[in-house]
Amino acid sequence: MTAADAARDLFVAAYDHRPDGIWSAPGRVNLIGEHTDYNEGFVLPFAIQHRTYAAVALNGTDELRVRSTFAEGQVTVRVSDLDDLFPTPAGTAPAVPEWSAYTLGVAWALRTSTSSATQNPATRSKGVDIAIASDVPVGAGLSSSAAIEGAVASALNDLWELGLDPVTLAQVGRRAENEAVGAPTGIMDQMSSMLGQPDAATFIDCRSLEATSIPTGFHDAGLEVLVIDTQVKHAHATGGYGERRASCELGAKLLGIRSLRDASVADLPRAAEILDDVTFRRVRHIVTENQRVLDTVEALTERGPRAIGDLLVASHVSMRDDFEISAVELDVAVDTALANGAIGARMTGGGFGGAAIALVAHADLQRVSDAVIAAFAQAGFAAPHLFTVEPSEGPRRDA
């Protein structure tokens, strides 16, 4: 059964009527540019073929009713009560189960962020039934959360007749994640999901929100992007993610700049003089990672995907040593892939677990995969989940 079928079947079983449609949005792999988005920097992700599906219908009431295949029970709130539930105060859990906060948070953000929703009296009481299913791995750093937000935002944009563009819907998704769920993420994930194109990565300026499709050329070059899901789960709403963001903000403040986007590699010697060691290393990662994104875009455009391997490796080293967001399982995955012929490899996503990616020639895919599985077994780790991904399209209405 596909995830689309699962969403439809759950909807019919839960609400005893058929959905008005099924909308979907993709997860993403970040090719390069980690933790640069909330520093107003540059990123180069691509949407993947793994998607989240939302079966949705207007229900003729003033209630939002939400179900999911990955959680028990139903969450029901009145549309007019959303403002009492959100925003979620910093450091606290959402007032609803976290899995439902992504969906309800999108509805709240749409109503409070867009004049077309807040000024239309009909929208204030347009209740909907929602059932969600997904084949995006959760906790692997592939942005299952942005896929939920994109699918739900696309559905409500249609059913509430808001007429919002993809970038605005991406901003709605980020607000839901930041203020409803309480996860201090940037906008990369939502932009990547909303703007995905087949056979291309999306080069995003996270300050201006300008986005450009960059052909990857993976297929023509005989390359595969292998995802190595370590099965070590992470959560953005807690722990080290927020600490890293705070360090970046402190570094920018001490350097006297708006954000680390405004620092260049040439500024690092001065930063080393005025920052403590930990803050400096956090700053160095962001500054050099921004440059690596620009260099990767240039390499893909001028020399093709086989020219980006060293940049991927340098990104991983920076995340491991300067930003300190890797994990031993991620390091083993990267080192083993490189030792067995991968052109480049790095952890991807927010860190503290999740997945690594390896750029591998098609002929070497099985050897690299077998070596990683063997290395995990030898180290006593849980078996990793390995699969390939390809750049894919953004949100769509599937039915």
Side-chain angles (χ1 to χ4, degrees), residues 20-354:
D20 292 335
I22 299 175
W23 289 259
S24 69
R28 66 97 187 94
V29 155
N30 191 18
L31 187 60
I32 196 164
E34 224 64 75
H35 288 260
T36 49
D37 57 346
Y38 57 78
N39 288 287
E40 300 186 324
F42 304 107
V43 292
L44 189 65
F46 61 85
I48 60 176
Q49 70 269 32
H50 300 272
R51 307 178 71 85
T52 292
Y53 296 82
V56 188
L58 296 170
N59 59 26
T61 76
D62 64 349
E63 292 183 337
L64 298 170
R65 302 189 290 233
V66 184
R67 285 184 177 260
S68 168
T69 58
F70 42 80
E72 294 292 333
Q74 176 175 302
V75 177
T76 302
V77 302
R78 296 181 63 179
V79 177
S80 58
D81 289 340
L82 287 171
D83 291 341
D84 296 328
L85 296 176
F86 308 118
T88 298
T92 65
V96 295
E98 184 174 300
W99 67 267
S100 68
Y102 292 98
T103 297
L104 297 173
V106 165
W108 166 76
L110 279 171
R111 295 181 71 252
T112 58
S113 300
T114 62
S115 60
S116 56
T118 57
Q119 293 178 6
N120 182 353
T123 300
R124 293 179 181 273
S125 59
K126 275 189 176 181
V128 293
D129 294 333
I130 303 174
I132 293 173
S134 181
D135 60 20
V136 182
V138 176
L142 303 182
S143 200
S144 56
S145 57
I148 294 173
E149 293 152 5
V152 173
S154 298
L156 296 182
N157 188 45
D158 286 354
L159 294 177
W160 286 353
E161 300 179 340
L162 301 178
L164 302 177
D165 62 87
V167 172
T168 300
L169 293 180
Q171 292 173 299
V172 164
R174 176 180 61 174
R175 188 173 184 215
E177 189 146 347
N178 290 172
E179 299 183 35
V181 181
T185 58
I187 199 168
M188 173 185 69
D189 295 349
Q190 292 82 10
M191 288 283 285
S192 176
S193 182
M194 294 303 301
L195 299 175
Q197 294 290 333
D199 304 318
T202 306
F203 173 49
I204 305 168
D205 179 334
C206 295
R207 172 172 285 174
S208 68
L209 298 188
E210 294 180 5
T212 306
S213 289
I214 305 296
T216 59
F218 294 148
H219 183 269
D220 290 344
L223 299 177
E224 304 276 2
V225 178
L226 176 67
V227 175
I228 306 165
D229 181 0
T230 66
Q231 305 289 304
V232 177
K233 303 304 179 185
H234 67 181
H236 283 168
T238 58
Y241 193 101
E243 294 173 4
R244 297 308 185 278
R245 182 163 187 163
S247 290
C248 293
E249 292 170 353
L250 174 62
K253 180 180 179 180
L254 294 175
L255 290 170
I257 54 180
R258 169 176 157 175
S259 74
L260 294 182
R261 155 68 174 271
D262 298 312
S264 69
V265 173
D267 295 317
L268 290 177
R270 182 174 75 91
E273 293 178 355
I274 65 176
L275 302 177
D276 65 86
D277 176 66
V278 171
T279 304
F280 170 69
R281 287 188 290 110
R282 305 300 188 246
V283 168
R284 181 168 60 186
H285 166 71
I286 299 301
V287 171
T288 57
E289 187 79 344
N290 273 326
Q291 187 59 53
R292 281 187 289 270
V293 174
L294 298 176
D295 292 344
T296 301
V297 170
E298 180 184 18
L300 282 172
T301 303
E302 297 185 0
R303 300 188 300 279
R306 290 181 177 270
I308 70 172
D310 289 346
L311 292 163
L312 301 182
V313 175
S315 176
H316 183 77
V317 171
S318 182
M319 289 185 286
R320 183 192 67 201
D321 298 344
D322 278 353
F323 224 59
E324 297 182 288
I325 56 173
S326 190
V328 62
E329 292 88 349
L330 290 166
D331 295 338
V332 168
V334 168
D335 293 345
T336 304
L338 292 172
N340 286 273
I343 292 168
R346 64 185 286 272
M347 60 149 285
T348 188
F352 311 102

